[in-house]
């Protein structure tokens, strides 16, 4: 999708620090990490948010979730991690291309801010 920064990253139109890639997803390090390790996992297909997931995305969404542990292992998250999908205005989603935040290498707090 034109004008989508994460589509541009998926297409390699703008650079990113890639942690994992295959034909369906890309994982890259966040520019402004909120933890010692902070990776974003995105579908290469443009899906704006969790609110925009369709029945046809069932397999892709399941695929993303099954890959989390593999990406976590690749980036050294050997003692647990947190996964976050900010959605919509109250969820404070800033980039309108669905992304899974994978954060770790520090103890997280609860409740989240
Ligand atoms: P969210 O606020 O959940 O929409 O998260 C968007 C995330 O994308 C933020 O953590 C940003 O730091 C990150 N981000 C924005 N642009 C880039 C970029 N070009 N490369 C890596 N991370 C980015
Ligand atoms: Zn996009």
């Amino acid at each position: 999708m034109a004008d989508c920064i994460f589509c541009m990253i998926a297409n390699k139109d703008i650079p990113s620090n890639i942690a994992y890639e295959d034909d369906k997803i890309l994982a890259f390090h966040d520019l402004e990490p909120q933890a010692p390790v902070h990776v974003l996992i995105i579908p290469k297909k443009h899906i704006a948010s969790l609110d925009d997931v369709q029945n046809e995305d069932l397999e892709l969404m399941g695929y993303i979730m099954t890959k989390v542990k593999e990406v976590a292992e690749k980036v050294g998250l050997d003692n647990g991690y947190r996964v976050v999908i900010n959605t919509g205005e109250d969820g404070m989603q800033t980039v309108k291309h669905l992304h899974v935040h994978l954060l770790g290498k520090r103890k997280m707090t609860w409740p989240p801010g």
Side-chain angles (χ1 to χ4, degrees):
M1 190 188 172
D3 290 349
C4 171
I5 188 166
F6 285 0
C7 280
M8 291 180 206
I9 286 176
N11 291 331
K12 315 281 171 60
D13 292 330
I14 59 176
S16 67
N17 182 3
I18 294 173
Y20 174 84
E21 180 174 18
D22 63 28
D23 58 328
K24 296 185 191 64
I25 65 172
L26 182 72
F28 55 97
H29 292 269
D30 198 293
L31 266 188
E32 293 180 42
Q34 303 301 314
V37 173
H38 185 174
V39 167
L40 302 173
I41 307 171
I42 64 168
K44 289 189 169 177
K45 174 185 175 182
H46 180 86
I47 300 172
S49 80
L50 269 188
D51 265 345
D52 300 280
V53 171
Q54 307 295 321
N55 287 340
E56 68 189 34
D57 302 317
L58 182 66
E59 196 177 332
L60 177 59
M61 293 305 295
Y63 184 78
I64 293 170
M65 287 301 140
T66 59
K67 281 288 171 184
V68 167
K69 68 175 190 303
E70 193 176 323
V71 177
E73 193 180 346
K74 263 192 187 301
V75 295
L77 298 178
D78 53 6
N79 197 40
Y81 47 81
R82 181 164 292 172
V83 163
V84 175
I85 305 179
N86 294 327
T87 305
E89 198 177 330
D90 282 357
M92 296 294 284
Q93 181 181 3
T94 59
V95 176
K96 309 297 192 246
H97 180 129
L98 192 152
H99 50 283
V100 175
H101 293 262
L102 173 62
L103 303 126
K105 285 290 173 190
R106 72 166 166 84
K107 280 269 187 285
M108 299 298 153
T109 59
W110 195 264

PDB file of all heavy atoms in Angstrom, residues 6 41-43 47-51 53 61 64 85 93 95-100:
ATOM      1  N   PHE A   6       5.378   0.750   6.866  1.00  0.00           N
ATOM      2  CA  PHE A   6       5.752  -0.653   7.077  1.00  0.00           C
ATOM      3  C   PHE A   6       5.654  -1.456   5.778  1.00  0.00           C
ATOM      4  O   PHE A   6       6.399  -2.425   5.600  1.00  0.00           O
ATOM      5  CB  PHE A   6       4.925  -1.280   8.203  1.00  0.00           C
ATOM      6  CG  PHE A   6       5.371  -0.830   9.588  1.00  0.00           C
ATOM      7  CD1 PHE A   6       6.428   0.055   9.765  1.00  0.00           C
ATOM      8  CD2 PHE A   6       4.723  -1.304  10.717  1.00  0.00           C
ATOM      9  CE1 PHE A   6       6.842   0.476  11.028  1.00  0.00           C
ATOM     10  CE2 PHE A   6       5.125  -0.904  11.995  1.00  0.00           C
ATOM     11  CZ  PHE A   6       6.185  -0.016  12.149  1.00  0.00           C
ATOM     12  N   ILE A  41       7.067  -7.427  14.468  1.00  0.00           N
ATOM     13  CA  ILE A  41       6.777  -8.490  13.497  1.00  0.00           C
ATOM     14  C   ILE A  41       5.567  -8.052  12.694  1.00  0.00           C
ATOM     15  O   ILE A  41       4.512  -7.748  13.270  1.00  0.00           O
ATOM     16  CB  ILE A  41       6.470  -9.826  14.204  1.00  0.00           C
ATOM     17  CG1 ILE A  41       7.603 -10.190  15.183  1.00  0.00           C
ATOM     18  CG2 ILE A  41       6.265 -10.941  13.179  1.00  0.00           C
ATOM     19  CD1 ILE A  41       7.285 -11.392  16.083  1.00  0.00           C
ATOM     20  N   ILE A  42       5.731  -7.995  11.382  1.00  0.00           N
ATOM     21  CA  ILE A  42       4.623  -7.541  10.526  1.00  0.00           C
ATOM     22  C   ILE A  42       4.313  -8.582   9.454  1.00  0.00           C
ATOM     23  O   ILE A  42       5.205  -9.292   8.982  1.00  0.00           O
ATOM     24  CB  ILE A  42       4.934  -6.185   9.829  1.00  0.00           C
ATOM     25  CG1 ILE A  42       6.112  -6.292   8.857  1.00  0.00           C
ATOM     26  CG2 ILE A  42       5.187  -5.098  10.859  1.00  0.00           C
ATOM     27  CD1 ILE A  42       6.287  -5.074   7.938  1.00  0.00           C
ATOM     28  N   PRO A  43       3.033  -8.649   9.068  1.00  0.00           N
ATOM     29  CA  PRO A  43       2.710  -9.411   7.859  1.00  0.00           C
ATOM     30  C   PRO A  43       3.160  -8.579   6.653  1.00  0.00           C
ATOM     31  O   PRO A  43       3.076  -7.351   6.682  1.00  0.00           O
ATOM     32  CB  PRO A  43       1.185  -9.525   7.901  1.00  0.00           C
ATOM     33  CG  PRO A  43       0.736  -8.323   8.685  1.00  0.00           C
ATOM     34  CD  PRO A  43       1.848  -8.012   9.666  1.00  0.00           C
ATOM     35  N   ILE A  47      -2.303  -5.086   6.334  1.00  0.00           N
ATOM     36  CA  ILE A  47      -3.535  -5.148   7.141  1.00  0.00           C
ATOM     37  C   ILE A  47      -3.402  -3.979   8.106  1.00  0.00           C
ATOM     38  O   ILE A  47      -2.377  -3.861   8.793  1.00  0.00           O
ATOM     39  CB  ILE A  47      -3.645  -6.470   7.923  1.00  0.00           C
ATOM     40  CG1 ILE A  47      -3.654  -7.680   6.983  1.00  0.00           C
ATOM     41  CG2 ILE A  47      -4.887  -6.467   8.806  1.00  0.00           C
ATOM     42  CD1 ILE A  47      -3.571  -9.042   7.699  1.00  0.00           C
ATOM     43  N   ALA A  48      -4.376  -3.088   8.133  1.00  0.00           N
ATOM     44  CA  ALA A  48      -4.198  -1.835   8.868  1.00  0.00           C
ATOM     45  C   ALA A  48      -4.094  -2.048  10.378  1.00  0.00           C
ATOM     46  O   ALA A  48      -3.292  -1.386  11.048  1.00  0.00           O
ATOM     47  CB  ALA A  48      -5.326  -0.868   8.536  1.00  0.00           C
ATOM     48  N   SER A  49      -4.900  -2.943  10.915  1.00  0.00           N
ATOM     49  CA  SER A  49      -4.888  -3.153  12.371  1.00  0.00           C
ATOM     50  C   SER A  49      -5.633  -4.448  12.679  1.00  0.00           C
ATOM     51  O   SER A  49      -6.220  -5.076  11.782  1.00  0.00           O
ATOM     52  CB  SER A  49      -5.575  -1.984  13.082  1.00  0.00           C
ATOM     53  OG  SER A  49      -6.985  -2.144  13.033  1.00  0.00           O
ATOM     54  N   LEU A  50      -5.654  -4.805  13.955  1.00  0.00           N
ATOM     55  CA  LEU A  50      -6.434  -5.985  14.356  1.00  0.00           C
ATOM     56  C   LEU A  50      -7.902  -5.804  13.990  1.00  0.00           C
ATOM     57  O   LEU A  50      -8.604  -6.779  13.715  1.00  0.00           O
ATOM     58  CB  LEU A  50      -6.334  -6.212  15.872  1.00  0.00           C
ATOM     59  CG  LEU A  50      -5.242  -7.114  16.428  1.00  0.00           C
ATOM     60  CD1 LEU A  50      -5.477  -7.324  17.924  1.00  0.00           C
ATOM     61  CD2 LEU A  50      -5.180  -8.466  15.721  1.00  0.00           C
ATOM     62  N   ASP A  51      -8.360  -4.546  13.998  1.00  0.00           N
ATOM     63  CA  ASP A  51      -9.747  -4.254  13.630  1.00  0.00           C
ATOM     64  C   ASP A  51     -10.050  -4.568  12.168  1.00  0.00           C
ATOM     65  O   ASP A  51     -11.214  -4.587  11.770  1.00  0.00           O
ATOM     66  CB  ASP A  51     -10.040  -2.761  13.850  1.00  0.00           C
ATOM     67  CG  ASP A  51     -10.672  -2.497  15.200  1.00  0.00           C
ATOM     68  OD1 ASP A  51     -11.150  -3.454  15.840  1.00  0.00           O
ATOM     69  OD2 ASP A  51     -10.694  -1.325  15.602  1.00  0.00           O
ATOM     70  N   VAL A  53      -8.619  -7.230  10.441  1.00  0.00           N
ATOM     71  CA  VAL A  53      -8.357  -8.634  10.104  1.00  0.00           C
ATOM     72  C   VAL A  53      -9.644  -9.275   9.588  1.00  0.00           C
ATOM     73  O   VAL A  53     -10.718  -9.106  10.181  1.00  0.00           O
ATOM     74  CB  VAL A  53      -7.819  -9.380  11.349  1.00  0.00           C
ATOM     75  CG1 VAL A  53      -7.755 -10.878  11.100  1.00  0.00           C
ATOM     76  CG2 VAL A  53      -6.440  -8.841  11.745  1.00  0.00           C
ATOM     77  N   MET A  61      -2.660 -14.866  10.411  1.00  0.00           N
ATOM     78  CA  MET A  61      -2.581 -14.432  11.810  1.00  0.00           C
ATOM     79  C   MET A  61      -2.073 -15.577  12.697  1.00  0.00           C
ATOM     80  O   MET A  61      -1.270 -15.354  13.607  1.00  0.00           O
ATOM     81  CB  MET A  61      -3.948 -13.941  12.296  1.00  0.00           C
ATOM     82  CG  MET A  61      -4.429 -12.662  11.615  1.00  0.00           C
ATOM     83  SD  MET A  61      -3.273 -11.285  11.731  1.00  0.00           S
ATOM     84  CE  MET A  61      -3.284 -10.979  13.489  1.00  0.00           C
ATOM     85  N   ILE A  64       1.684 -15.843  12.102  1.00  0.00           N
ATOM     86  CA  ILE A  64       2.454 -14.840  12.849  1.00  0.00           C
ATOM     87  C   ILE A  64       2.648 -15.307  14.288  1.00  0.00           C
ATOM     88  O   ILE A  64       3.759 -15.272  14.830  1.00  0.00           O
ATOM     89  CB  ILE A  64       1.751 -13.464  12.809  1.00  0.00           C
ATOM     90  CG1 ILE A  64       1.760 -12.900  11.389  1.00  0.00           C
ATOM     91  CG2 ILE A  64       2.419 -12.477  13.777  1.00  0.00           C
ATOM     92  CD1 ILE A  64       0.880 -11.663  11.199  1.00  0.00           C
ATOM     93  N   ILE A  85       0.005  -5.807  20.748  1.00  0.00           N
ATOM     94  CA  ILE A  85      -0.524  -5.304  19.466  1.00  0.00           C
ATOM     95  C   ILE A  85      -1.375  -4.085  19.780  1.00  0.00           C
ATOM     96  O   ILE A  85      -2.550  -4.218  20.178  1.00  0.00           O
ATOM     97  CB  ILE A  85      -1.341  -6.369  18.709  1.00  0.00           C
ATOM     98  CG1 ILE A  85      -0.523  -7.648  18.505  1.00  0.00           C
ATOM     99  CG2 ILE A  85      -1.805  -5.800  17.365  1.00  0.00           C
ATOM    100  CD1 ILE A  85      -1.284  -8.776  17.783  1.00  0.00           C
ATOM    101  N   GLN A  93      -2.133   3.116  18.714  1.00  0.00           N
ATOM    102  CA  GLN A  93      -1.474   2.643  17.492  1.00  0.00           C
ATOM    103  C   GLN A  93      -1.090   3.845  16.650  1.00  0.00           C
ATOM    104  O   GLN A  93      -1.947   4.678  16.323  1.00  0.00           O
ATOM    105  CB  GLN A  93      -2.429   1.732  16.704  1.00  0.00           C
ATOM    106  CG  GLN A  93      -1.801   1.180  15.424  1.00  0.00           C
ATOM    107  CD  GLN A  93      -2.764   0.305  14.632  1.00  0.00           C
ATOM    108  OE1 GLN A  93      -3.935   0.152  14.999  1.00  0.00           O
ATOM    109  NE2 GLN A  93      -2.272  -0.269  13.554  1.00  0.00           N
ATOM    110  N   VAL A  95       1.287   3.490  13.787  1.00  0.00           N
ATOM    111  CA  VAL A  95       1.527   3.049  12.400  1.00  0.00           C
ATOM    112  C   VAL A  95       0.391   2.116  12.011  1.00  0.00           C
ATOM    113  O   VAL A  95       0.163   1.078  12.648  1.00  0.00           O
ATOM    114  CB  VAL A  95       2.888   2.338  12.266  1.00  0.00           C
ATOM    115  CG1 VAL A  95       3.069   1.816  10.846  1.00  0.00           C
ATOM    116  CG2 VAL A  95       4.037   3.286  12.641  1.00  0.00           C
ATOM    117  N   LYS A  96      -0.316   2.481  10.946  1.00  0.00           N
ATOM    118  CA  LYS A  96      -1.535   1.762  10.563  1.00  0.00           C
ATOM    119  C   LYS A  96      -1.243   0.580   9.640  1.00  0.00           C
ATOM    120  O   LYS A  96      -1.799   0.458   8.545  1.00  0.00           O
ATOM    121  CB  LYS A  96      -2.531   2.719   9.903  1.00  0.00           C
ATOM    122  CG  LYS A  96      -2.808   3.994  10.703  1.00  0.00           C
ATOM    123  CD  LYS A  96      -3.450   3.696  12.056  1.00  0.00           C
ATOM    124  CE  LYS A  96      -3.978   4.967  12.712  1.00  0.00           C
ATOM    125  NZ  LYS A  96      -3.295   5.358  13.942  1.00  0.00           N
ATOM    126  N   HIS A  97      -0.321  -0.242  10.085  1.00  0.00           N
ATOM    127  CA  HIS A  97      -0.038  -1.536   9.448  1.00  0.00           C
ATOM    128  C   HIS A  97       0.195  -2.479  10.615  1.00  0.00           C
ATOM    129  O   HIS A  97       1.124  -2.256  11.410  1.00  0.00           O
ATOM    130  CB  HIS A  97       1.203  -1.411   8.547  1.00  0.00           C
ATOM    131  CG  HIS A  97       1.602  -2.680   7.836  1.00  0.00           C
ATOM    132  ND1 HIS A  97       1.837  -2.726   6.461  1.00  0.00           N
ATOM    133  CD2 HIS A  97       1.838  -3.940   8.289  1.00  0.00           C
ATOM    134  CE1 HIS A  97       2.194  -3.959   6.128  1.00  0.00           C
ATOM    135  NE2 HIS A  97       2.206  -4.718   7.220  1.00  0.00           N
ATOM    136  N   LEU A  98      -0.642  -3.480  10.732  1.00  0.00           N
ATOM    137  CA  LEU A  98      -0.622  -4.369  11.887  1.00  0.00           C
ATOM    138  C   LEU A  98       0.803  -4.814  12.213  1.00  0.00           C
ATOM    139  O   LEU A  98       1.551  -5.242  11.333  1.00  0.00           O
ATOM    140  CB  LEU A  98      -1.501  -5.584  11.601  1.00  0.00           C
ATOM    141  CG  LEU A  98      -1.849  -6.497  12.784  1.00  0.00           C
ATOM    142  CD1 LEU A  98      -3.196  -7.162  12.520  1.00  0.00           C
ATOM    143  CD2 LEU A  98      -0.795  -7.537  13.040  1.00  0.00           C
ATOM    144  N   HIS A  99       1.157  -4.684  13.484  1.00  0.00           N
ATOM    145  CA  HIS A  99       2.494  -5.110  13.921  1.00  0.00           C
ATOM    146  C   HIS A  99       2.425  -5.643  15.335  1.00  0.00           C
ATOM    147  O   HIS A  99       1.705  -5.134  16.178  1.00  0.00           O
ATOM    148  CB  HIS A  99       3.506  -3.974  13.804  1.00  0.00           C
ATOM    149  CG  HIS A  99       3.064  -2.684  14.415  1.00  0.00           C
ATOM    150  ND1 HIS A  99       2.163  -1.843  13.798  1.00  0.00           N
ATOM    151  CD2 HIS A  99       3.367  -2.098  15.595  1.00  0.00           C
ATOM    152  CE1 HIS A  99       1.947  -0.798  14.560  1.00  0.00           C
ATOM    153  NE2 HIS A  99       2.662  -0.911  15.669  1.00  0.00           N
ATOM    154  N   VAL A 100       3.223  -6.660  15.556  1.00  0.00           N
ATOM    155  CA  VAL A 100       3.335  -7.281  16.870  1.00  0.00           C
ATOM    156  C   VAL A 100       4.628  -6.773  17.499  1.00  0.00           C
ATOM    157  O   VAL A 100       5.710  -6.977  16.954  1.00  0.00           O
ATOM    158  CB  VAL A 100       3.389  -8.817  16.730  1.00  0.00           C
ATOM    159  CG1 VAL A 100       3.636  -9.474  18.083  1.00  0.00           C
ATOM    160  CG2 VAL A 100       2.114  -9.346  16.086  1.00  0.00           C
TER     161      VAL A 100
END
